[in-house]
């Protein structure tokens, strides 16, 4: 008989923010391994876009520490967490190219047009802008904030 497992509880935004701040402070004090462990603890309660962001943060730490292959591996983990985000493919392709693997980089970059979806990209930006507006309101309640997205053709879509 199969046992049903539930997804981990979603991490509250304030707790995630504290974890990110703690990881940054730990990294800043010269302890990259500890910072990675802090970021890894945030993964189970994160949404797919947050998981990909956490993997990319870890990849960046590993890259700066000279561990290129582990960084690339975390880049692929980011793609696996959110495969609909075409920009992840380009970012990891760049890591591959910089790591001296141009053929692999070219193959991965070729995947970008296949997964790039304007609606997904717009929603990604909308989500990020809404979170930004929320943070502005929390930190500076007296200020207003308007956000939008400008397309390459100059068309502007305002986010409310």
């Amino acid at each position: 008989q199969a046992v049903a497992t539930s997804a981990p509880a979603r991490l509250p935004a304030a707790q995630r923010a504290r974890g990110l701040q703690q990881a940054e402070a730990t990294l800043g004090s010269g302890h990259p391994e500890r910072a990675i462990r802090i970021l890894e603890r945030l993964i189970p309660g994160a949404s797919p876009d947050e998981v990909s962001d956490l993997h990319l943060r870890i990849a960046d730490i590993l890259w700066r520490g000279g561990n290129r292959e582990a960084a690339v591996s975390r880049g692929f983990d980011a793609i696996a967490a959110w495969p609909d985000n075409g920009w992840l493919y380009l970012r990891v392709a760049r890591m591959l190219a910089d790591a001296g693997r141009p053929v692999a980089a070219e193959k991965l970059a070729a995947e970008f047009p296949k997964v790039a979806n304007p609606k997904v990209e717009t929603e990604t930006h909308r989500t990020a802008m809404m979170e930004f507006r929320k943070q502005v309101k929390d930190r500076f309640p007296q200020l207003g904030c308007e956000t939008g997205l400008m397309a390459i053709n100059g068309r502007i879509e305002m986010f409310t």
Side-chain angles (χ1 to χ4, degrees):
Q1 183 177 12
V3 176
T5 58
S6 61
R10 181 108 162 85
L11 197 62
Q15 188 176 349
R16 180 178 186 273
R18 278 194 303 277
L20 292 173
Q21 289 172 345
Q22 182 184 14
E24 286 297 319
T26 303
L27 183 60
S29 64
H31 301 284
E33 301 84 14
R34 280 193 230 157
I36 289 171
R37 286 195 300 273
I38 292 166
L39 294 171
E40 286 173 336
R41 286 195 305 262
L42 297 174
I43 290 173
S47 66
D49 61 315
E50 292 168 340
V51 171
S52 67
D53 175 63
L54 292 166
H55 282 300
L56 288 177
R57 288 173 186 262
I58 293 169
D60 185 53
I61 294 168
L62 292 166
W63 188 271
R64 286 186 277 162
N67 195 341
R68 306 286 195 246
E69 288 304 311
V72 168
S73 177
R74 284 300 184 139
F76 280 110
D77 290 343
I79 291 172
W82 197 14
D84 294 336
N85 184 343
W87 295 105
L88 293 173
Y89 292 78
L90 296 180
R91 182 148 180 202
V92 177
R94 169 115 189 218
M95 282 195 279
L96 285 164
D98 290 347
R101 296 170 55 190
V103 174
E106 185 178 341
K107 285 182 180 179
L108 187 60
E111 294 297 311
F112 173 73
K114 297 175 188 173
V115 297
N117 179 332
K119 289 181 182 176
V120 170
E121 290 180 33
T122 298
E123 280 309 307
T124 301
H125 287 88
R126 183 185 315 276
T127 301
M129 291 294 118
M130 297 308 278
E131 178 62 26
F132 172 76
R133 288 175 60 177
K134 181 182 174 296
Q135 289 181 17
V136 168
K137 185 177 181 181
D138 290 347
R139 294 180 187 176
F140 308 100
Q142 70 280 12
L143 293 179
C145 182
E146 294 182 10
T147 56
L149 182 65
M150 180 184 286
I152 292 173
N153 66 7
R155 188 177 66 90
I156 298 174
E157 179 181 349
M158 299 304 294
F159 297 147
T160 56

